Amino acid sequence: TFANVFNLHAVIDTWSLWKGPVLIRQLEIDDLTVKLLQNEDEQVNWAFEGMAATTAEPAESLPFLLESVSVHDAYIDFNSPRLDQPVVAIIERFEQSSPDGQSVQAVAEGSLGGRPMQLELSAGPRERLLQGQDVTLEIDGDFGNISLAGSVEFENLWQPVKPLVDLELAGPDFRELTDMLGIEGLGSGAMALSVNSERNEAFETQVKGSLGDNSLDRHAGMESLASLSGVSVEAQIDGPNFGRLARLTGNEGWPEQPFEIATRIQRSGQALEVEEFGLVLAGATIELAGDVPGFPELAGSQLSLRINGTDLAPFSAVTGLQDLPPGAFSLAGDVNTNAEG
């Protein structure tokens, strides 16, 4: 069973059923249980037949309004083969209301992964929220010893183009966060990560900081979130376990060893230019550069690949090659495809 609820009570403004949007003056839910499952084939139990994505235009306003929401004793369980253990969230109390009539405020109290959780959200101004224009969302949360705070300003809530993001994630030990999220093997240590964006001629985002033994410095520029035709990304990432990160994305077999990544990528229209991509892992260095004029198609591409290392054995699983000879190795090559691929 996907979800069970012991008690649900709703009070609806009947006149709003005719004039829209539907106004739910009060919604109360007690003893809710939700079990979310993902299998090896990435199939999930919360996607049902007929829920295929549509190409409809983004909504211009909320289809319904929630004036007051109260949830007590909700149990949410998520399990996936990509996790080392299920993620369990218990919401003892969730309250959403608009006490000042100017903003919508929500408070959630409970636990995540066995650690105490308290989250406060505020969105408004209320009239702009109803229209989905120029809305500010403020976030203040504590998850065990970890804090998440900041704001996001949306010029268009239904189709964000250049949202202003200012978020800070901090805590004394990254392992506490990964334990809450059911993940092992990504190291430990103090964490301080910031996510910021600016609206200039291009939409620019910066993610910078450390998550324990992992460090991240990534800058991206693009015309807007609605268009990926003009994108530039520059990033430096390093951490203690590349294989575990790869498994989170469904890629098995990579060595679970420390790594370093450096990359600079540009995209203009369909043309993708890989100025630099370098991965240092398990005694090997992998370098890739070149142009793909019709990304994601490879027709007309010119790519250069260089690989060298001290031992092929750590890569036997990801390559599918067994009984590889020991010792140093080196591989270099260029790939040039014609216009027909």
Side-chain angles (χ1 to χ4, degrees):
T1 302
F2 165 64
N4 287 302
V5 60
F6 179 75
N7 178 59
L8 187 151
H9 174 74
V11 178
I12 301 175
D13 185 324
T14 53
W15 177 243
S16 70
L17 295 173
W18 301 99
K19 67 175 185 177
V22 176
L23 174 60
I24 302 175
R25 294 200 176 276
Q26 186 176 15
L27 178 65
E28 296 180 358
I29 300 174
D30 295 315
D31 295 327
L32 170 67
T33 299
V34 179
K35 291 186 177 292
L36 306 174
L37 300 174
Q38 181 185 52
N39 63 19
E40 294 282 356
D41 298 323
E42 300 187 13
Q43 296 176 323
V44 297
N45 70 333
W46 62 85
F48 304 102
E49 187 175 352
M51 288 181 62
T54 67
T55 57
E57 292 295 321
E60 296 182 358
S61 62
L62 285 169
F64 61 89
L65 305 177
L66 291 170
E67 196 168 83
S68 174
V69 180
S70 177
V71 180
H72 292 90
D73 299 325
Y75 177 93
I76 303 170
D77 180 294
F78 172 59
N79 204 353
S80 166
R82 298 183 185 182
L83 302 176
D84 297 295
Q85 58 190 18
V87 178
V88 176
I90 297 175
I91 301 175
E92 298 173 358
R93 181 179 74 94
F94 174 86
E95 305 285 348
Q96 180 240 291
S97 61
S98 181
D100 57 4
Q102 301 299 314
S103 63
V104 175
Q105 300 178 14
V107 176
E109 295 177 348
S111 65
L112 177 64
R115 273 78 170 180
M117 171 189 72
Q118 179 163 329
L119 179 63
E120 297 181 3
L121 303 173
S122 177
R126 189 171 185 272
E127 289 303 316
R128 293 179 183 174
L129 180 63
L130 302 182
Q131 300 167 1
Q133 302 291 325
D134 299 321
V135 174
T136 298
L137 172 65
E138 296 183 352
I139 304 168
D140 187 2
D142 292 302
F143 306 86
N145 296 304
I146 297 166
S147 65
L148 172 65
S151 63
V152 182
E153 296 180 18
F154 299 93
E155 76 285 27
N156 187 323
L157 189 61
W158 316 122
Q159 192 176 28
V161 177
K162 295 181 179 181
L164 284 179
V165 181
D166 183 10
L167 296 173
E168 300 284 341
L169 179 69
D173 194 351
F174 180 50
R175 181 170 293 170
E176 183 177 12
L177 177 61
T178 56
D179 285 348
M180 282 190 286
L181 299 179
I183 305 167
E184 298 176 359
L186 293 182
S188 60
M191 51 186 286
L193 188 73
S194 63
V195 182
N196 304 98
S197 67
E198 296 180 358
R199 294 175 188 157
N200 299 313
E201 289 187 9
F203 176 57
E204 300 182 17
T205 63
Q206 178 84 26
V207 182
K208 187 173 184 177
S210 62
L211 298 172
D213 299 318
N214 305 267
S215 67
L216 174 63
D217 188 350
R218 193 223 67 174
H219 177 271
M222 63 191 74
E223 292 178 4
S224 71
L225 291 181
S227 173
L228 296 179
S229 62
V231 179
S232 65
V233 177
E234 183 172 351
Q236 291 82 40
I237 307 169
D238 63 76
N241 194 331
F242 184 83
R244 186 64 190 95
L245 284 176
R247 284 196 286 121
L248 281 176
T249 62
N251 295 287
E252 302 284 342
W254 286 93
E256 299 207 358
Q257 296 189 28
F259 70 95
E260 297 178 10
I261 294 176
T263 185
R264 290 198 311 274
I265 299 173
Q266 304 269 354
R267 181 176 177 180
S268 178
Q270 293 296 110
L272 179 69
E273 179 185 2
V274 182
E275 297 180 13
E276 170 194 10
F277 176 83
L279 169 63
V280 179
L281 173 66
T285 299
I286 303 171
E287 298 176 328
L288 176 69
D291 299 302
V292 183
F295 184 81
E297 301 295 331
L298 294 179
S301 298
Q302 296 181 329
L303 297 170
S304 174
L305 178 65
R306 304 286 184 270
I307 306 174
N308 60 77
T310 58
D311 193 356
L312 274 170
F315 299 93
S316 60
V318 73
T319 60
L321 303 174
Q322 304 299 320
D323 301 321
L324 295 172
F329 65 94
S330 181
L331 174 66
D334 296 316
V335 178
N336 298 287
T337 63
N338 59 34
E340 288 74 35

